[in-house]
Amino acid sequence: MELRVLNPVTKEQFRRFCSVKRGFWSLVIILVLMFISFFAEVFINSRALVVCYQGEFYFPTYADMIPGKTFGLGYSYETNYRELKQKFDREGGTSFVIMPPVPYNPYENDLRFNEYPPFPPSFSLRHFLGTDNVGRDVLARLVYGFRTAILFSLTLLFLNYTVGISMGCAMGYFGGVFDLFFQRVIEIWSNIPFLYVIIIVSSIVVPNFLILILIMAFFGWISITWVMRTMTYREKEREYILAVRSLGASHMRIIFRHIIPNTISVIVTYAPFAISSGIVALTSLDYLGFGLPAPTPSWGELLSQGWQNMEAWWISAAVVSALVVTLMTVTFIGEGIREAFDPRRHTVYE
């Protein structure tokens, strides 16, 4: 959307966000990381990007499994494209294979004769961050794990905000018995230790992405509910709300067309920090063994491996660096958004 079609307030907020350089560049960095992770198969994958064989082109990356006999390898299971590339290079000719920069997938075990993983970083073998304790590429699991973590945190943010904003606005707007009843419900609900719930659920069923999301969402909506309740209490007594109420506007219209849009600064400001807490929560659960099942790529699982294999420094260094960079950029984005929506306009970042 071009700035000329935005209203003056939005344009001013955008300019103020861009003036906070570390927030702006942090947003650029996190968007680039998200782009790489969402299209990770193009950059990190054991499948080839392009195969040219006997004048015909194949694009295996997002296609169905192509058996080796298609390329004259004599077997019916999926083609080993690294071996196919070596074969074509030896033979010469017009056939060729273009592999991703990192030619390994996050589930693949790259083992060596008479050697035991984890293996240190190797540029010649394209293991730029080494392998873990079963021979899987650390960089591949780091990037795919980031995709899992960011999707988890964004989905959790959506569910928490949907429930928390709706409930908080309803409590602040209607007040009275409705507000008192749900205050007691939230107080009881917030005292339930969600880690124990996850442990109990993990002992009954193997937790997956959906189950973890639902458990976290059951307990994660409380904090934004209190904030929105307070903001709604303040907004509902302002003159513009009294005016639209006197004109006959319904409760739903007042809440969703007037109160929530006028509290958007609080909602947007809290979002980056909620994303950060979602990433930390998933990483913590995976580290403790109550998160996503193996062999799902996970930062927490890598962190656990790094702790168990202290001599393999590259595992811990890679995941800790990724966590620091991600959480730092998300925090800087939150600072920039807070500055952009701050009506007082006095904060200065250097």
Side-chain angles (χ1 to χ4, degrees):
M1 181 180 292
E2 298 181 7
L3 286 181
R4 60 184 177 85
V5 301
L6 300 176
N7 64 63
V9 175
T10 304
K11 287 194 287 186
E12 178 61 24
Q13 289 170 342
F14 181 77
R15 291 193 185 97
R16 295 181 67 194
F17 176 79
C18 293
S19 68
V20 185
K21 296 302 181 183
R22 61 184 180 186
F24 174 76
W25 288 110
S26 294
L27 178 62
V28 172
I29 292 171
I30 206 72
L31 289 177
V32 170
L33 294 177
M34 290 174 64
F35 175 82
I36 293 174
S37 67
F38 290 158
F39 297 95
E41 289 80 7
V42 176
F43 305 99
I44 303 172
N45 198 358
S46 58
R47 288 185 171 185
L49 299 176
V50 181
V51 177
C52 177
Y53 179 66
Q54 296 181 349
E56 188 173 354
F57 286 88
Y58 300 84
F59 303 93
T61 303
Y62 290 104
D64 295 331
M65 186 272 291
I66 302 177
K69 62 183 180 181
T70 303
F71 305 112
L73 294 179
Y75 53 80
S76 298
Y77 51 87
E78 185 168 14
T79 304
N80 186 321
Y81 294 98
R82 294 195 300 275
E83 293 181 356
L84 181 64
K85 178 177 174 58
Q86 294 173 357
K87 177 176 179 293
F88 287 168
D89 291 343
R90 288 194 306 267
E91 295 175 352
T94 58
S95 298
F96 62 87
V97 176
I98 299 177
M99 295 295 294
V102 179
Y104 303 96
N105 68 59
Y107 305 100
E108 182 180 10
N109 304 101
D110 185 28
L111 303 178
R112 307 172 193 173
F113 183 71
N114 280 342
E115 294 185 57
Y116 299 96
F119 302 123
S122 171
F123 282 80
S124 61
L125 297 175
R126 299 285 187 91
H127 288 301
F128 298 109
L129 295 179
T131 70
D132 64 6
N133 59 359
V134 292
R136 296 172 301 198
D137 188 80
V138 171
L139 180 57
R141 295 188 66 79
L142 206 63
V143 172
Y144 283 81
F146 176 78
R147 178 166 67 181
T148 301
I150 202 70
L151 288 175
F152 180 90
S153 60
L154 289 175
T155 306
L156 183 62
L157 175 71
F158 173 77
L159 294 177
N160 287 342
Y161 268 35
T162 300
V163 177
I165 292 174
S166 301
M167 183 62 68
C169 287
M171 292 170 62
Y173 182 80
F174 295 108
V177 176
F178 182 87
D179 181 35
L180 291 173
F181 174 77
F182 279 100
Q183 281 188 57
R184 305 292 83 77
V185 171
I186 291 175
E187 288 172 0
I188 296 172
W189 199 256
S190 60
N191 286 319
I192 300 176
F194 83 94
L195 181 59
Y196 290 160
V197 175
I198 293 178
I199 294 174
I200 294 171
V201 173
S202 299
S203 65
I204 300 173
V205 297
V206 177
N208 55 29
F209 188 90
L210 179 60
I211 291 176
L212 285 178
I213 281 287
L214 292 177
I215 294 175
M216 294 291 292
F218 274 135
F219 298 94
W221 55 272
I222 296 174
S223 58
I224 190 64
T225 300
W226 288 122
V227 174
M228 289 305 300
R229 171 183 174 272
T230 304
M231 296 296 296
T232 304
Y233 259 123
R234 186 182 69 179
E235 291 295 322
K236 75 173 185 176
E237 299 300 332
R238 293 186 181 273
E239 290 79 2
Y240 73 94
I241 295 296
L242 299 177
V244 295
R245 186 181 298 166
S246 65
L247 293 173
S250 64
H251 297 315
M252 295 293 289
R253 182 179 179 85
I254 293 174
I255 292 174
F256 289 99
R257 292 296 299 274
H258 298 283
I259 292 179
I260 291 181
N262 282 282
T263 58
I264 193 69
S265 60
V266 176
I267 297 173
V268 174
T269 300
Y270 271 75
F273 304 103
I275 293 174
S276 178
S277 64
I279 294 174
V280 172
L282 180 63
T283 303
S284 302
L285 290 175
D286 289 334
Y287 177 81
L288 295 173
F290 301 117
L292 299 173
T296 306
S298 164
W299 286 5
E301 186 262 345
L302 274 177
L303 200 59
S304 177
Q305 283 198 38
W307 175 256
Q308 296 169 11
N309 301 273
M310 296 297 291
E311 70 282 357
W313 56 267
W314 53 89
I315 300 178
S316 299
V319 67
V320 170
S321 299
L323 274 170
V324 169
V325 170
T326 302
L327 298 181
M328 184 174 62
T329 52
V330 171
T331 301
F332 287 163
I333 292 170
E335 286 185 355
I337 293 174
R338 183 172 56 195
E339 167 67 11
F341 283 88
D342 187 1
R344 294 171 295 180
R345 306 187 181 188
H346 71 276
T347 307
V348 176
Y349 292 91
E350 297 180 355

